[in-house]
Amino acid sequence: MTEQQFPHPLLARLVQELSYPLISNQADLEAFIHRPGHQVLFCGGDTKLYPECLDVAVILPELDKAMQGTVDFAICARETDELMKMRYGFTVWPSLVFLKGGDYVGAISGMKDWVIYLEKFAELLNSPTSRPPSVGIAVTAASAISCH
């Protein structure tokens, strides 16, 4: 485990002590997301730029307990930040990306109150899979075109 992967002990604890799988490359991601059932990827981002990822790191084990084994959690290493952002279309760090059998369901971005997490988890666990939102450049018309 490198400093780049876990610049903070709270993130390292999730993998080292609590045994959450570490997603550090495309192969790790593919192996994890193609498990049956629901998966949640914790994409924390840079702890210096997004210190609220440390708050999510603290409550993640509590969310895991609350889900009573119905969800598999994994921690995304820093070097996967761009891969995760592009693949799953979130733009806010930290994000919890929900998948079902490898297919996208949704995401919870930023730090939330406990009740909001529980509500969103229940909602996303009962939602159908969908296409992830895309991250890209907004396209706007330079001038209005009239067909009259």
Side-chain angles (χ1 to χ4, degrees):
M1 191 169 354
T2 67
E3 175 71 17
Q4 183 181 9
Q5 288 174 324
F6 298 109
H8 196 280
L10 287 174
L11 297 173
R13 176 181 174 263
L14 296 172
V15 174
Q16 294 171 338
E17 293 177 31
L18 301 177
S19 301
Y20 289 108
L22 174 64
I23 308 299
S24 58
N25 56 46
Q26 183 73 32
D28 292 343
L29 177 63
E30 294 303 322
F32 177 74
I33 67 172
H34 288 100
R35 296 175 177 188
H38 290 89
Q39 304 87 29
V40 173
L41 300 170
F42 173 39
C43 305
D46 184 334
T47 59
K48 291 178 179 136
L49 293 174
Y50 311 107
E52 59 271 17
C53 88
L54 300 176
D55 296 328
V56 176
V58 169
I59 66 161
L60 194 67
E62 299 306 317
L63 288 168
D64 190 4
K65 287 178 193 170
M67 294 301 105
Q68 300 178 339
T70 60
V71 177
D72 289 330
F73 291 85
I75 311 306
C76 297
R78 287 273 294 120
E79 57 263 24
T80 66
D81 283 352
E82 198 58 31
L83 167 68
M84 298 303 171
K85 178 180 158 187
M86 296 308 292
R87 183 165 180 162
Y88 297 115
F90 61 88
T91 58
V92 175
W93 303 94
S95 286
L96 298 175
V97 177
F98 286 73
L99 306 166
K100 183 176 181 181
D103 294 324
Y104 181 83
V105 175
I108 302 173
S109 294
M111 178 62 192
K112 307 292 183 208
D113 289 333
W114 179 253
V115 173
I116 301 296
Y117 275 120
L118 295 180
E119 289 171 357
K120 292 296 287 178
F121 265 71
E123 176 188 322
L124 290 167
L125 292 175
N126 291 304
S127 295
T129 61
S130 64
R131 183 177 180 172
S134 62
V135 175
I137 300 169
V139 178
T140 58
S143 63
I145 299 174
S146 176
C147 58
H148 299 290

